[in-house]
Amino acid sequence: MRPNLVHFIIILLLIFLPGSSYSFECINTEFLFDISTGSNQPSDIALDPEGNIYLVDGVNSRVVVVDSSGRWKYALGTEGVEGSGKGQFRMPLGIDISASGKVFIADTGNRRIQVFDTDGNFLYMFRIKKGPGEQPPEPVDVAASKLSNYLYIADNNNHKIKVYKQNGTYDFEWGKFGEDYGAFRYPAMMTLNEYNEIYIVDVLNTRVQKFDPFGKLIVTIGSWGVLQGNLFRPKGVALDKKKRVFISDSYMGVIQGFTDFGKFLGVICEKNRLKRFKSPVGIVVDKNNRLLVVEMQSNIITVLKILE
C-alpha cells in the first residue's frame, strides 16, 4: 500500500471513528426532525418566501414541495417520467427561488432552465446556449439575484458561470477550466448574500469561491484535506443570519462553518459531538435559524436548529 494512502487512512480513522478523542471546534445544533418524501438521491433544496421547502428529486424527474413542517403540498413533474415537454424534467439537479416567488430549476438533462410560480404553475423555460468551442452546456445549479434580475447558472461541462436575465436573455459569463483563483473544476451549487455577492462550490478544486455580482473574485474558502477547515468533496453552501458560510462535504459526511472571508469556525455538532450525515449535498438556513440538510444516501431532509 502506498505511504500517502496509508497516511490518508490513518487521518480518516483518527478524525471520524466513533469514540475518537480528537478535539473538534463545534457549532452546536439540536436535531428537530427528518422529512421523507419518497425521493431517490435528492440533490438540492430551496425555500420560497412563505417558508415552503422545495426538494429536487432528480432520479424521479420531479421537484417535491412540502411545508415548513414537512407536510406534503404537491410535486412538479411526474414521478419517474422523464420528458422534454413543459413541466417535464430529465435529471434536474439545482434550484433557487427569487424574492418575488419565481421558482428556477436547473433541468440538467434537458440543458435548460424551467420557471414556475409558487403554486406549481409552469411559466416559461429557456435553453442554455452553447458558445464557440464549448461542450454542450450542463446547468447544474441556479441562483436568482435581486440585482438587475440576474440569474447565475453553473455550467458544469464548461467550467463557467453563465449569467442570464431572469426572463431568459443571455447577459455575460466568466470562468474557465483550471486550478487558478477564479477558475473552476466543476462549479456546482451556489448561494447569494444580501449584497448580491455569489458563493460557488468549486468541487474538484475543493473550495468555495466568493465573487462580486460581475464575476470579480473576492475570496476563496477552504482547501483540500480531511482535517477541520479542509474540504474533500464539497457540494452544498448556505449562509445564516450571522453571515457564516456553511459547506457540506458529501464524502466526509460533515458540514463545516466559516466566516464569509474564509476563517474556519467549526463543524456542525450535536451535544458537542460531531454530527455525521449520509452524503450531505444541498443545504439551506431558514429565517428561524434552522439548518436543512439534503442527505442524498438517506433520501431525507434533516432539520436542525442552530444553537450558536
Side-chain angles (χ1 to χ4, degrees):
M1 187 177 288
R2 292 176 297 175
N4 61 340
L5 182 57
V6 172
H7 178 65
F8 178 69
I9 293 172
I10 289 172
I11 292 175
L12 287 178
L13 293 174
L14 175 66
I15 298 178
F16 292 108
L17 273 182
S20 168
S21 61
Y22 189 85
S23 177
F24 291 100
E25 293 292 331
C26 276
I27 299 173
N28 272 302
T29 64
E30 175 188 355
F31 172 78
L32 297 178
F33 55 90
D34 289 331
I35 301 171
S36 179
T37 64
S39 58
N40 185 355
Q41 300 179 56
S43 55
D44 199 10
I45 189 170
L47 305 174
D48 72 16
E50 301 302 317
N52 295 309
I53 302 164
Y54 294 64
L55 177 68
V56 180
D57 183 14
V59 173
N60 285 324
S61 305
R62 64 179 183 171
V63 172
V64 173
V65 185
V66 298
D67 69 15
S68 60
S69 299
R71 291 185 292 264
W72 179 274
K73 290 179 69 75
Y74 61 89
L76 302 171
T78 303
E79 182 176 5
V81 178
E82 287 189 343
S84 57
K86 294 179 180 179
Q88 295 180 321
F89 300 101
R90 180 171 283 114
M91 290 302 298
L93 285 175
I95 188 170
D96 196 23
I97 302 174
S98 71
S100 64
K102 283 186 176 180
V103 181
F104 295 89
I105 299 168
D107 187 5
T108 307
N110 284 318
R111 307 189 192 283
R112 67 186 182 185
I113 307 301
Q114 294 203 66
V115 188
F116 299 79
D117 66 21
T118 52
D119 291 321
N121 298 307
F122 174 84
L123 298 178
Y124 57 94
M125 60 187 178
F126 59 93
R127 292 184 64 84
I128 307 306
K129 297 178 180 178
K130 176 184 174 181
E134 289 188 344
Q135 297 297 315
E138 187 177 55
V140 295
D141 199 21
V142 287
S145 175
K146 296 178 182 178
L147 178 67
S148 300
N149 280 322
Y150 286 149
L151 184 72
Y152 298 91
I153 301 166
D155 182 352
N156 195 58
N157 232 12
N158 292 296
H159 312 283
K160 291 180 178 181
I161 304 303
K162 297 185 174 180
V163 186
Y164 283 66
K165 296 290 189 179
Q166 292 178 19
N167 64 5
T169 303
Y170 172 83
D171 202 313
F172 66 98
E173 63 186 55
W174 79 87
K176 63 178 181 179
F177 179 80
E179 300 178 23
D180 297 339
Y181 293 134
F184 300 102
R185 289 197 297 163
Y186 302 99
M189 295 181 181
M190 306 179 289
T191 195
L192 294 157
N193 67 14
E194 61 187 305
Y195 306 111
N196 298 298
E197 296 164 337
I198 186 165
Y199 298 75
I200 303 167
V201 177
D202 186 8
V203 176
L204 287 193
N205 284 326
T206 61
R207 63 191 179 189
V208 169
Q209 299 197 76
K210 176 183 176 183
F211 296 86
D212 76 7
F214 309 103
K216 180 180 179 181
L217 181 67
I218 297 173
V219 70
T220 64
I221 300 171
S223 59
W224 185 90
V226 296
L227 298 173
Q228 295 184 72
N230 294 144
L231 303 170
F232 191 78
R233 189 65 82 237
K235 285 295 176 69
V237 59
L239 308 175
D240 73 355
K241 295 177 182 178
K242 295 182 179 180
K243 300 181 181 180
R244 292 180 293 191
V245 182
F246 294 100
I247 303 171
S248 64
D249 194 316
S250 64
Y251 190 89
M252 303 303 289
V254 299
I255 297 173
Q256 302 187 77
F258 299 80
T259 70
D260 61 351
F261 275 90
K263 179 183 177 182
F264 172 71
L265 295 174
V267 297
I268 291 296
C269 293
E270 188 178 359
K271 297 180 180 179
N272 290 310
R273 293 180 63 87
L274 176 68
K275 177 71 175 177
R276 295 295 305 274
F277 303 89
K278 291 186 178 179
S279 193
V281 283
I283 55 177
V284 69
V285 179
D286 71 10
K287 61 184 178 182
N288 296 315
N289 214 35
R290 301 188 310 174
L291 175 64
L292 288 76
V293 182
V294 179
E295 295 194 57
M296 179 176 280
Q297 288 187 6
S298 296
N299 298 315
I300 59 173
I301 302 169
T302 295
V303 184
L304 307 168
K305 179 73 173 182
I306 301 174
L307 301 178
E308 302 176 359

